Every structure is written in C-alpha cells, then in structure tokens.
C-alpha cells in the first residue's frame, strides 16, 4: 500500500535522516521525496510503500507522530488514496 | 503523481479548516425484532444491534488513522420502532428505547436514531403508543434519538399529529429541563437514509444493514470563498461547487472503505454542510463571507439558496450515491455565527423560517422561552410542514422550550449540540387553529401520476 508522509515544522539539522531511519527500521520503503524550506518552515513530503512494513499502519502512524512531537514537528502518514480522491477525477 | 500543493492543501483543510467526516451511520433493520412479549422484544433488539454494529467504532477509528481524516461520530439508525415493534403488547414503549440505549452504549456509539413513527396520514396502534412514550423514553436515555414524520407532499399534513407533537415537545422539555428536545425532531417528507442525528432512522425500503456517511466542511467552503472576495456570484457558485466536489470525494472514499471492512453495503453519501460550535466551522460565516454584515440580514435567503444549490451540484459530480438530506444545515445552537447573530437580535425565527425554504431541514436547535405553549409549538411545526409539503422537500422542527427561561437567557446543551440564546416567539395565539385537528390535504402537485 502506498502512503504519503508529510513533515512540517521548524527546520533543524537531521530531520530527513531521523524520519528515514524510523521508516527503514520498520521496513517502509521510500519511493520519492520532495522538500522545501519556506521562511524557516520545513516541509517534506515522501511517497512510501508500506507493503513490507513490520508494524500495523496505526502503530507506524503513532511512532511517527511521537517522534515528530519530540522535535517539534508535525509528522503524518496517510494513505495515498485520500489525495487521489480529492484531487483527481 | 499528486503535487506538493495538493497534499498541503488537503492537510490544511483537515488541520485548520475542520474538514472531517461528520458521521458514519450504520442503518440496521429491526423488522425481525418484533415480539409480543416486551422483554423478549427488548432482548432481540439489543442482541441484533450489538451483533451488527460490534465492529463499527473500531473500523471507524482504523479508517481515521489510515486516511488521517477525523471521523467525528459513529452512529446507528434503526427501523422506526413503531413499525418494527408494533406486535409488542406493551402500552409503554420506554423499555424499547432503553434497550436501544444500552445497545448503543455497548458498541460505543454516541447516538442511536429510530425511536420513530411515520404518521403523515394517520396513526396505527403502535404509532400512538410510541408518541405517548417519547417524553419518558428521552428522559430515561441519553443516546436515543426520536423523530416523527407528520406530513408529506403525497399525504398532506396530519394536524392531529402536529397538535400532539406540540404537547410531546413540551412534556419532553418539562421532564428533561429542555435537554431531551435536542434529540427529538418533527419532520415533513422525512428521508429514509439520512445519516445525521437526531433525525436518522432506517427506512422500510432500506436493506437489512447499510452504511451511510455524512460529510462536513463549512470551514473549507468559507476558506475557499475568502480567496474570491468581491467577485461576482457565478465565481462564488463555481468555488463552492469545486470545494463540495473534493469534500464529497473524500466522503465517498471513506464510505466505500467502511462498507468493505464491515461487510455491509454502502448506501449513500450525504452532502450536507453541517456546522459545529467550533470557531471556523460555521455556515453563517459562509453567508457573511458573501457580503452580509450578519446572517439574518436581507440577502441571507438568497445567499443560502446559492450555497445549498452549489453544494449539491459539486457533490453529485463526486459520488453516484448521493442521498440523505444533502444541503446546508442551519442549526442555531451548533453554529457560532448563528449564535452570535441570534444573541445580537439580528436573526429571528421568522427569518430562519424563510431560510428553511431554500436549504435542507428546517428550524433546528432553536431555544424558545419556557412559557411558549404547546399550541404555538404545534403551529410552528404546521408552518414548517407546509413549507416542506408545498416545496416537495424535507423540513423539520427541533425546538427546545426551556423551562423557566426567558428571551435573552442562554442555554448550554453541551458538546456538538452547542449553546443557544432564547429566541423570541410571536406572542399571538394559534390555539383555535391547532384545535381543529384533521388533515390539511395534499397539494395539487402531489398528483403526478
């Protein structure tokens, strides 16, 4: 299953490394990354494949959310379908 | 591939503009639950509801986590109890409501709708028993919602039922300090697949079990309209349509997913714009964004008509299964902008009545002075019913005559039900009008065959 990870918050050193290591540790494959820094706000969007994920989706979502909160970041993981449904006919 | 902007737009809609799925409502037929013995009937209802809906809340929460979209309520609607349990020999149906309440508590839903009767043309024995039981049923439960359909375009208006419902509303208010009236709706042209409370019931033409979804998103529409400030109304309509399309697509996706996981057929997506008391989640704000100083000002009805129509046009493009009420709701106590306008005296019951001609439902969550008579409430119900019957649309009355309260007081209903200023009612009497009884015949345009 494909999902979108979004990371939004104040830019600090090592955000990408931190998120990627959590994903790798749980068997989630990163397919695509785009990131920008607007003013001092960091926005990263990742397309990931959760087919090989070793924990269930809810747990992964909780792990990411918690890790984000520790660094003052808003990290979400959502199934890709919701964006497809809202923006594509 | 979805673009960065589209992803961020969706996230902003959810995190800042209160976009959510307002309710996943499971409709459950109780037509096989009638038993002559009251206790057997209650047991059967409890067993059926708790079995059918055992996974509803868990599945709702799973979908919420996976899609990252809040699903605010998980609810149940059942076959109108007056139909399902008519063979039950008990005079008082209150224990049936209590069985529904226990079942709702067991599966973890906050409301269960269907303590209902359809009496637009007259009463059966079960209908009479149910109507008599409503005040006590609502007073002795916290989750049960009751609705009574007193009129339809095909049948006309049952004025005996209208008269009785005025008394039922008053008695419910007396027993519950007004709170119970928030769970009691009087309908004209009630729909069978409405997922929204308090008026949801599982119609007799519905399947054994079904999933209906109600979306929401006044905040999203409001935000979209801020970007076209000052532009002509065709731009406004187009903007609302596009927004409604996106919101509905999301609703359809969630409905399909819930249906698949629960193994229950998908019924409809209801497109209604349902406000909450949260700041930024208001239908009144949308109307004011169109250029009105306050909701209730001249122009309000036209603004609402445009909004209601554009929401439908966008929504029907997004889902092949649109149903329920599908329009804008204007519940006073559940909308921060409506509360503000009512408290400032800029929104009156008469203006709200005009607004109900062009949007879904009707006089909703309006707090009235405690000395409002049953006859006046009946007459308000008759007026709303007439609007529904003549315009071939659903209308409803959910008013709360708060014991001891006067115009200017404020009452708090808690949670999503919000708080409301007591609104003034025209003091002229309708006693002799309501006392006539009988039936106002169906209008000429009901004869379409």
């Amino acid at each position: 299953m494909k999902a979108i990870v979004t990371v939004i918050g104040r830019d600090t050193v090592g955000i990408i490394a931190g998120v990627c290591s959590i994903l790798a540790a749980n068997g989630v494959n990163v397919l695509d990354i785009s990131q920008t820094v607007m003013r001092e706000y960091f926005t990263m969007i990742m397309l990931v494949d959760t087919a090989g994920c070793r924990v269930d989706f809810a747990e992964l979502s909780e792990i990411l959310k918690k890790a984000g909160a520790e660094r003052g970041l808003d990290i979400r993981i959502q199934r890709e379908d919701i964006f497809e449904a809202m923006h594509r006919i | 591939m979805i673009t960065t902007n589209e992803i961020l737009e969706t996230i902003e809609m959810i995190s800042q503009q209160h976009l959510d799925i307002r309710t996943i409502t499971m409709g459950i037929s109780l037509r096989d639950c009638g038993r002559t013995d009251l206790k057997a009937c209650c047991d059967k209802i409890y067993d059926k509801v708790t079995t059918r809906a055992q996974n509803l809340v868990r599945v709702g929460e799973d979908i919420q986590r996976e899609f990252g979209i809040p699903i605010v309520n998980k609810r149940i609607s059942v076959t109108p109890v007056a139909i399902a349990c008519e063979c039950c020999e008990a005079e008082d149906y209150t224990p049936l409501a209590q069985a529904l309440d226990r079942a709702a508590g067991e599966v973890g839903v906050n409301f269960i709708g269907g303590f209902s009767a359809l009496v637009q043309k007259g009463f059966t024995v079960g209908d009479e028993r149910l109507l008599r039981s409503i005040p006590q049923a609502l007073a002795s439960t916290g989750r049960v919602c009751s609705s009574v359909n007193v009129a339809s375009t095909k049948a006309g208006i049952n004025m005996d039922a209208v008269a009785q419902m005025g008394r039922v509303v008053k008695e419910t208010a007396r027993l519950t300090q007004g709170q119970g009236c928030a769970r009691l709706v009087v309908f004209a042209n009630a729909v069978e697949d409405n997922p929204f409370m308090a008026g949801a019931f599982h119609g007799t033409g519905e399947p054994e079990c079904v999933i209906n979804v109600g979306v929401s998103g006044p905040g999203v529409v409001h935000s979209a309209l801020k970007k076209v400030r000052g532009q002509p109304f065709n731009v406004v309509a187009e903007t609302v349509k596009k927004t409604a399309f996106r919101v509905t697509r999301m609703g359809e996706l969630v409905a399909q997913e819930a249906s698949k996981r629960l193994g229950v057929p998908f019924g409809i997506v209801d497109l209604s714009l349902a406000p909450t008391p949260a700041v930024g989640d208001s239908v009144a704000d949308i109307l004011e964004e169109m250029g009105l100083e306050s909701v209730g000002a001249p122009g309000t009805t036209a603004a609402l008509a445009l909004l209601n129509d554009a929401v439908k046009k966008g929504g029907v493009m997004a889902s092949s299964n649109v149903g329920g009420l599908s329009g804008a709701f204007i519940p006073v106590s559940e909308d921060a902008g409506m509360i503000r306008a009512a408290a400032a005296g800029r929104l009156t019951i008469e203006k709200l009545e005009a607004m109900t001609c062009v949007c879904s439902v009707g006089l909703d969550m309006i707090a009235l002075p405690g000395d409002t008579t049953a006859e006046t409430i009946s007459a308000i119900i008759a007026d709303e019913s007439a609007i529904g019957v003549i315009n071939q649309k659903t209308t409803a009355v959910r008013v709360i005559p708060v014991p001891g309260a006067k115009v200017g007081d404020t009452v708090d209903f808690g949670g999503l039900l919000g708080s409301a200023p007591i609104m003034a009612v025209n003091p002229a009497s309708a006693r002799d009008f309501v006392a006539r009884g009988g039936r106002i015949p169906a209008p000429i345009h009901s004869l379409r065959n």
Side-chain angles (χ1 to χ4, degrees), chain A residues 4 6 8 32 34 43 45 47 57-58 61 76-79 81-89, chain B residues 1-2 4 6-11 13-15 19 65-68 245-246 249 253 257 261:
Chain A
I4 303 275
T6 49
I8 301 171
D32 196 3
S34 78
T43 306
I45 293 169
L47 177 65
F57 198 92
S61 166
R76 294 164 191 253
I77 181 164
Q78 292 164 275
R79 278 174 54 176
D81 320 30
I82 187 166
F83 303 101
E84 286 281 345
M86 283 181 83
H87 297 283
R88 295 287 180 274
I89 296 179
Chain B
M1 170 79 185
I2 299 295
T4 305
E6 287 166 339
I7 290 171
L8 294 178
E9 189 184 17
T10 301
I11 289 177
M13 283 181 183
I14 294 167
S15 62
L19 176 62
R65 272 192 292 267
E66 288 180 27
F67 290 105
F245 175 84
R246 288 182 188 160
R249 288 275 287 189
L253 176 71
E257 190 71 26
R261 291 188 191 194

Side-chain angles (χ1 to χ4, degrees), chain B residues 11-323:
Chain B
I11 289 177
E12 193 185 333
M13 283 181 183
I14 294 167
S15 62
Q16 285 166 36
Q17 298 164 8
H18 305 280
L19 176 62
D20 55 41
I21 299 289
R22 184 52 46 82
T23 180
I24 296 183
T25 303
M26 178 181 271
I28 303 172
S29 168
L30 296 185
R31 280 159 64 182
D32 57 347
C33 293
R35 300 289 183 275
T36 50
D37 177 62
L38 178 64
K39 176 150 189 327
C41 197
C42 291
D43 290 348
K44 179 71 183 162
I45 288 175
Y46 179 87
D47 290 345
K48 181 149 191 193
V49 171
T50 50
T51 306
R52 283 279 179 196
Q54 58 182 333
N55 296 324
L56 176 63
V57 171
R58 185 180 55 75
V59 165
E61 285 167 358
D62 286 349
I63 294 174
Q64 167 166 328
R65 272 192 292 267
E66 288 180 27
F67 290 105
I69 176 86
I71 298 173
V72 182
N73 297 299
K74 276 70 71 178
R75 292 169 170 171
I76 296 169
S77 63
V78 297
T79 311
V81 166
I83 297 171
C85 303
E86 188 135 36
C87 67
C88 181
E89 284 170 347
E91 280 297 321
D92 179 10
Y93 281 3
T94 305
L96 298 168
Q98 291 164 341
L100 288 171
D101 199 53
R102 281 197 305 278
E106 172 63 27
V107 299
V109 299
N110 59 353
F111 284 126
I112 184 164
F115 195 74
S116 306
L118 311 175
V119 297
Q120 59 270 25
K121 215 166 181 180
F123 302 94
T124 66
V125 176
D127 294 334
E128 284 175 356
R129 289 173 177 165
L130 184 120
L131 260 66
R132 279 199 300 270
S133 309
I134 288 173
Q136 198 55 50
L138 292 175
S140 63
T141 60
R143 304 178 192 91
V144 172
C145 294
S146 176
S147 55
V148 176
N149 192 66
V150 297
S152 75
T153 300
K154 279 277 176 204
I157 306 173
N158 178 350
M159 287 300 290
D160 293 320
V162 168
Q164 191 173 345
M165 285 314 293
R167 297 191 291 272
V168 168
V169 170
K170 279 292 279 184
E171 179 63 7
T172 303
R174 190 182 71 79
L175 291 178
T176 62
Q177 268 302 305
Q179 302 284 338
C181 296
R183 291 182 281 124
L184 174 58
V185 188
V186 188
F187 272 118
N189 290 326
V191 295
E192 300 203 329
D193 51 8
N194 163 26
F196 287 102
M197 295 295 168
F201 64 86
H202 185 73
T204 50
E206 295 286 306
E208 178 69 15
C209 192
V210 73
I211 286 290
N212 296 322
V213 164
V215 298
S216 183
V220 182
V221 174
H222 183 206
S223 294
L225 287 185
K226 277 185 192 167
K227 293 175 188 149
V228 297
R229 197 166 278 174
Q231 297 195 39
F233 279 114
N234 40 350
V235 178
V236 174
E238 194 60 26
T239 306
V240 174
K241 261 165 62 181
K242 283 181 180 158
T243 311
F245 175 84
R246 288 182 188 160
V247 171
T248 310
R249 288 275 287 189
M250 186 199 63
E252 165 102 5
L253 176 71
V254 168
Q256 297 281 10
E257 190 71 26
S259 149
K260 198 166 69 190
R261 291 188 191 194
L262 289 162
V264 169
F266 161 47
I268 56 97
V269 177
D270 187 315
L271 307 177
S272 296
L273 282 184
T276 67
V279 172
D281 203 18
S282 156
V283 169
D285 285 354
I286 300 173
L287 305 178
E288 291 175 7
E289 182 59 39
M290 289 190 207
L292 300 166
E293 184 186 355
S294 166
V295 65
T300 300
T301 310
L304 183 59
L306 178 152
L307 173 67
N308 200 55
D309 185 60
V311 164
K312 285 180 198 167
K313 285 173 178 165
V316 293
M317 274 290 288
S319 170
S320 320
N321 300 289
V322 173

Side-chain angles (χ1 to χ4, degrees), chain A:
Chain A
M1 183 173 70
K2 286 184 184 164
I4 303 275
V5 177
T6 49
V7 183
I8 301 171
R10 214 168 271 277
D11 194 14
T12 54
V13 173
I15 296 180
I16 298 182
V19 176
C20 286
S21 64
I22 293 170
L23 294 173
N26 290 291
V28 178
N29 188 26
V30 178
L31 303 173
D32 196 3
I33 300 185
S34 78
Q35 68 117 67
T36 53
V37 180
M38 282 187 287
R39 297 194 192 94
E40 71 274 32
Y41 278 94
F42 175 89
T43 306
M44 175 168 70
I45 293 169
M46 305 170 107
L47 177 65
V48 300
D49 186 350
T50 59
C53 187
R54 286 188 282 274
V55 294
D56 73 14
F57 198 92
E59 196 177 332
L60 179 64
S61 166
E62 208 45 51
I63 293 170
L64 287 167
K65 193 173 156 195
K66 221 171 126 201
E70 283 166 12
R71 309 184 62 156
L73 297 165
D74 180 21
I75 307 185
R76 294 164 191 253
I77 181 164
Q78 292 164 275
R79 278 174 54 176
E80 190 197 17
D81 320 30
I82 187 166
F83 303 101
E84 286 281 345
M86 283 181 83
H87 297 283
R88 295 287 180 274
I89 296 179

